[in-house]
Amino acid sequence: MVTIKQVAQEAGVSKSTVSRYISQNGYVGKEAQEKIEKTIKKLKFVPNLSARSLKTKRNQLVGLLLPDISNPFFPMLAKGVEEFLQEKGYRVMLGNIGEDEALEEDYLKVLVQTNAAGVITTHDFSEKFPDIDLPMVIVDRVGHKSNYGVFSNNEEGGKLAAKIVVEAGGKNIAVVSGPVTAININNRFKASVDFLETTNVHYQKFYSNSYNFEDIQVEANKLLNEFQEVDTIIAPSDIHGIAFIHEILARGKKIPEDIQVIGYDDILISQFVYPALSTIHQSAYKMGEEAAKLIYEIDNEQHIEKKRIELPIHYVERETLRKRKEH
Amino acid sequence: MVTIKQVAQEAGVSKSTVSRYISQNGYVGKEAQEKIEKTIKKLKFVPNLSARSLKTKRNQLVGLLLPDISNPFFPMLAKGVEEFLQEKGYRVMLGNIGEDEALEEDYLKVLVQTNAAGVITTHDFSEKFPDIDLPMVIVDRVGHKSNYGVFSNNEEGGKLAAKIVVEAGGKNIAVVSGPVTAININNRFKASVDFLETTNVHYQKFYSNSYNFEDIQVEANKLLNEFQEVDTIIAPSDIHGIAFIHEILARGKKIPEDIQVIGYDDILISQFVYPALSTIHQSAYKMGEEAAKLIYEIDNEQHIEKKRIELPIHYVERETLRKRKEH
DNA sequence: TTGAAAGCGCTAACAT
DNA sequence: ATGTTAGCGCTTTCAA
């Protein structure tokens, strides 16, 4: 391993000068610069980050703690985080923690052990682990108490889904809520229901507790059996939407003629399926990007305009909703 | 920040004893153990990993370099890597490097800078960056020259796809190859073609250069126009398979009655779509897990039975292929 | 503009 | 079974 000392000797300068050069911090003369640059290349020197971090108590590393990386929403979020931070010279440590709090604590510990710049997570741990001192930004599932957060406008999204579906002529609507751990899903569910209350359209509430296909399949069949007249389904996520499509078509019904479906998220695959899923778009990528930006700004003590960032949502028309009347 | 020194003082022992205790390396008496344990809890001490890594020149960190985390195959692989390593007390650093070699080099540098235990990647960099000294295991896209690798039996998979499709009565088969950068996809494409050559079934080759929906859509329409009699499509991936389903159904054809489709990968969503995609299963999770295990074994100088691990594939019957004749 | 020196928090050889 | 000591590779005052 080549060290700063060897570079210094070879270049005929002191360690400090080399240090100033590589961390671009302090004066270093033109001549020295050139010599150092040359020998760094020659010796293929790369500074040891552990040593640097030990000394400076900083580390350009941020943790990304996700409930389930195999849920298509989160890889896109991860991509947003990674691409922003990579650009700034930071790295991301990935933790797939499910709902396991012990695991979460392990990861948080490691992050403080390494002087990480911060953590991006879907779960606010500040009450559970108040001793952990680490800049934190919550993404997606942001409650009212969280200081830093990035989330999309779930109230607006839930309302919009209901509104659009009514405009498309839904008369017997099933509103489906997702797993209860996710506050964002509950918020939009409530917003949909609230909107429906202001109309004279008939609706029924249903609950899903899983992202697993077999589970959703069972739930979907229950819904379809219990609510025979259903002509519209508001799904809590695109995954659910796609599974509902499957069950509806399997029963020989037509989409959107017999039953229309609206999803939520606009994951990549939604455009691929048939019929392509009409859905409320929220940008997981942007969410990750904004969260990463916040961490970056905190770490560099920059002025932060907004600690809680609400992202817009919009409707994406595809093939699972009937045409809306103009108005 | 609480240090080992403070713990030592508070517990009335020396730094070394505390060090021995926390790294479970060397003797420490029963009494001392108890005192140390107590004060660690009391002071909420967590050892500084930068300092440890600086001293030991080791770091329980492994890099995971992926071409595109938003492609559903890779999150599952990442999950396999993460869950195995997390269990062993290692962490994973995620890099989404696309096909960008400069970015790849940056990540590799950081990994050596931090004394990482190794790197799991889809791209063998040993020829491009021969100076980088880092245990490496290649996943998925494993060439003949790579030392450590985990991959599935693409030849068998390609052959199996073709065989099954013929058994299901395919008479006019379109074999589609995926993006050329992926050696695995090319291998199974070739295997499919080779098998088809041994039959007297008519087939045509097609090429896809993208995982993007609009692109595949264009390619699919070209295929469907150029090869009017097509009754079977062998897709290079499930993503492609799902997109093909979309285009076929959009043309008012029936699946599998008019045209049958077989995918490759068995990504999560394939069971959700309608009709559910029949496909060749390969386990991205297992692939990640085995790769992580290899890195772990290398890092701990354990005996390694097989440096190149070939994973089995199997056919998953769902709804996009016609029933095969018994035989 | 540069160098000397101290020290970050930890481990490990050695001595006791 | 435990303590002393040196030092990992870097940064950062401080003095020159």
Side-chain angles (χ1 to χ4, degrees):
Chain A
M1 172 180 241
V2 184
T3 72
I4 209 175
K5 194 175 163 189
Q6 294 169 43
V7 175
Q9 277 172 350
E10 179 89 16
V13 296
S14 75
K15 286 196 306 176
S16 342
T17 308
V18 178
S19 173
R20 273 183 232 113
Y21 177 83
I22 59 173
S23 48
Q24 316 178 49
N25 166 4
Y27 297 103
V28 32
K30 209 160 185 95
E31 247 183 280
Q33 273 188 44
E34 285 166 15
K35 279 188 294 182
I36 292 171
E37 191 184 343
K38 221 174 278 176
T39 52
I40 283 181
K41 283 220 174 107
K42 182 175 161 199
L43 265 39
K44 299 187 207 299
F45 165 74
V46 280
N48 182 309
L49 293 184
S50 302
R52 177 178 288 170
S53 167
L54 174 59
K55 184 67 190 170
T56 61
K57 302 196 176 329
R58 298 188 59 191
N59 195 346
Q60 315 229 51
L61 173 72
V62 351
L64 175 60
L65 269 27
L66 262 19
D68 184 9
I69 186 76
S70 65
N71 177 336
F73 185 78
F74 293 115
M76 211 63 203
L77 194 153
K79 197 174 180 179
V81 169
E82 197 271 353
E83 292 191 350
F84 180 89
L85 289 178
Q86 176 277 317
E87 177 73 22
K88 298 291 188 187
Y90 285 59
R91 294 137 279 134
V92 3
M93 189 181 110
L94 176 69
N96 195 64
I97 58 170
E99 315 285 342
D100 184 340
E101 289 196 343
L103 230 182
E104 178 182 26
E105 191 179 7
D106 284 351
Y107 267 112
L108 292 171
K109 261 190 191 159
V110 169
L111 257 8
V112 333
Q113 284 177 314
T114 40
N115 305 314
V119 59
I120 296 170
T121 170
T122 54
H123 179 233
D124 190 330
F125 55 82
S126 49
E127 294 200 350
K128 198 83 188 179
F129 309 114
D131 300 319
I132 289 181
D133 179 30
L134 198 62
M136 163 188 75
V137 0
I138 315 297
V139 281
D140 197 29
R141 306 178 180 178
V142 181
H144 288 293
K145 283 171 294 185
S146 297
N147 194 10
Y148 291 95
V150 185
F151 51 101
S152 66
N153 193 333
N154 289 296
E155 285 74 19
E156 193 60 31
K159 182 181 167 185
L160 182 59
K163 187 157 168 282
I164 280 180
V165 124
V166 170
E167 286 174 7
K171 295 274 178 266
N172 289 287
I173 300 175
V175 199
V176 185
S177 176
V180 285
T181 45
I183 185 173
N184 52 340
I185 289 193
N186 289 303
N187 286 347
R188 55 208 198 214
F189 173 73
K190 262 183 45 192
S192 290
V193 170
D194 287 350
F195 177 83
L196 259 17
E197 273 297 330
T198 70
T199 69
N200 48 11
V201 168
H202 174 65
Y203 73 92
Q204 287 188 30
K205 300 180 192 174
F206 291 87
Y207 298 88
S208 168
N209 286 305
S210 178
Y211 283 96
N212 174 278
F213 185 61
E214 276 81 25
D215 295 345
I216 300 180
Q217 205 170 17
V218 169
E219 293 161 349
N221 277 304
K222 192 157 168 285
L223 187 160
L224 263 11
N225 290 335
E226 287 183 8
F227 192 5
Q228 297 274 356
E229 327 78 59
V230 65
D231 68 354
T232 299
I233 294 175
I234 300 178
S237 78
D238 281 4
I239 294 283
H240 287 88
I242 291 168
F244 288 141
I245 291 176
H246 188 113
E247 294 313 302
I248 294 165
L249 295 179
R251 289 181 171 222
K253 305 248 191 194
K254 285 206 164 62
I255 297 175
E257 293 78 2
D258 299 332
I259 302 181
Q260 51 181 0
V261 178
I262 188 166
Y264 204 106
D265 285 344
D266 194 20
I267 59 176
L268 231 43
I269 202 78
S270 294
Q271 52 188 319
F272 286 75
V273 301
Y274 186 86
L277 182 63
S278 300
T279 191
I280 304 296
H281 173 92
Q282 64 170 333
S283 177
Y285 185 91
K286 184 94 183 159
M287 209 177 264
E289 197 176 46
E290 290 292 339
K293 201 170 162 199
L294 274 177
I295 288 283
Y296 175 78
E297 289 168 346
I298 296 171
D299 196 47
N300 292 278
E301 291 166 328
Q302 295 183 359
H303 172 69
I304 292 174
E305 301 241 344
K306 284 190 142 187
K307 292 183 168 188
R308 294 172 58 95
I309 299 176
E310 188 174 69
L311 267 19
I313 50 86
H314 65 263
Y315 171 59
V316 180
E317 179 173 340
R318 290 207 267 255
E319 305 166 353
T320 56
L321 287 194
R322 299 195 278 278
K323 286 272 173 271
R324 288 177 287 161
K325 337 179 245 278
E326 304 295 332
H327 46 209
Chain B
M1 172 180 244
V2 184
T3 74
I4 209 174
K5 195 174 163 190
Q6 294 169 44
V7 175
Q9 278 172 351
E10 179 88 17
V13 294
S14 77
K15 287 198 304 175
S16 349
T17 309
V18 179
S19 174
R20 273 181 232 115
Y21 176 84
I22 59 173
S23 50
Q24 314 177 51
N25 167 4
Y27 298 102
V28 31
K30 211 163 184 94
E31 247 183 282
Q33 274 188 44
E34 284 165 14
K35 278 188 293 183
I36 293 170
E37 191 183 343
K38 221 174 278 178
T39 52
I40 283 181
K41 283 221 172 105
K42 181 175 162 199
L43 266 38
K44 298 187 206 300
F45 165 75
V46 279
N48 182 309
L49 293 183
S50 302
R52 178 179 287 168
S53 167
L54 174 59
K55 183 67 189 171
T56 61
K57 301 194 176 331
R58 298 188 58 192
N59 195 346
Q60 315 228 50
L61 173 72
V62 351
L64 174 60
L65 269 27
L66 262 17
D68 184 10
I69 186 75
S70 65
N71 176 336
F73 185 77
F74 293 116
M76 211 62 203
L77 194 153
K79 196 174 180 180
V81 169
E82 197 270 353
E83 292 191 350
F84 181 89
L85 290 178
Q86 176 277 317
E87 177 73 23
K88 298 290 188 187
Y90 286 59
R91 294 138 280 133
V92 3
M93 189 181 110
L94 176 69
N96 196 63
I97 59 171
E99 315 286 341
D100 184 341
E101 290 197 342
L103 230 182
E104 180 183 24
E105 191 179 8
D106 283 350
Y107 267 112
L108 293 171
K109 261 190 190 157
V110 169
L111 257 9
V112 334
Q113 284 176 313
T114 39
N115 305 313
V119 58
I120 296 171
T121 170
T122 54
H123 179 234
D124 190 330
F125 55 81
S126 49
E127 294 200 351
K128 197 84 189 178
F129 309 113
D131 301 319
I132 289 181
D133 179 30
L134 199 62
M136 163 189 74
V137 0
I138 315 296
V139 280
D140 197 29
R141 306 178 180 178
V142 182
H144 287 293
K145 284 171 294 187
S146 297
N147 194 9
Y148 292 94
V150 185
F151 50 102
S152 67
N153 193 332
N154 289 295
E155 287 73 18
E156 193 59 32
K159 182 181 167 189
L160 183 58
K163 187 157 169 282
I164 280 180
V165 123
V166 170
E167 286 175 7
K171 295 274 178 265
N172 289 285
I173 300 175
V175 200
V176 185
S177 177
V180 285
T181 44
I183 185 175
N184 51 342
I185 289 193
N186 289 302
N187 285 347
R188 53 206 199 216
F189 174 72
K190 263 183 46 192
S192 291
V193 169
D194 287 350
F195 177 83
L196 259 16
E197 273 297 331
T198 69
T199 68
N200 48 12
V201 168
H202 174 64
Y203 73 91
Q204 286 187 31
K205 300 181 193 172
F206 291 87
Y207 298 87
S208 168
N209 286 306
S210 179
Y211 283 96
N212 174 277
F213 184 61
E214 275 82 25
D215 295 345
I216 300 180
Q217 205 169 19
V218 170
E219 293 161 349
N221 277 304
K222 193 156 167 282
L223 186 159
L224 264 11
N225 290 336
E226 286 184 7
F227 192 5
Q228 297 274 356
E229 328 78 60
V230 65
D231 68 354
T232 299
I233 295 175
I234 299 177
S237 78
D238 281 3
I239 294 284
H240 287 88
I242 292 169
F244 287 141
I245 291 176
H246 188 114
E247 294 313 302
I248 293 166
L249 294 179
R251 289 180 171 223
K253 305 249 192 197
K254 285 206 163 62
I255 296 175
E257 292 78 3
D258 299 332
I259 302 182
Q260 52 181 0
V261 178
I262 188 167
Y264 205 106
D265 284 344
D266 194 20
I267 58 176
L268 231 42
I269 201 78
S270 294
Q271 51 187 320
F272 286 75
V273 302
Y274 188 85
L277 183 63
S278 300
T279 191
I280 304 296
H281 172 93
Q282 64 171 332
S283 176
Y285 185 91
K286 183 94 181 159
M287 209 176 264
E289 197 177 46
E290 291 292 339
K293 201 171 162 197
L294 275 176
I295 288 283
Y296 175 78
E297 290 168 346
I298 295 171
D299 195 48
N300 292 279
E301 291 167 329
Q302 296 183 358
H303 172 70
I304 292 175
E305 300 242 344
K306 285 191 143 183
K307 292 182 169 189
R308 295 172 55 96
I309 298 176
E310 189 174 68
L311 265 19
I313 50 88
H314 65 264
Y315 171 58
V316 180
E317 179 173 339
R318 290 209 268 254
E319 304 167 352
T320 56
L321 285 195
R322 298 196 279 276
K323 287 273 173 273
R324 289 177 287 160
K325 335 178 246 276
E326 303 296 332
H327 46 210

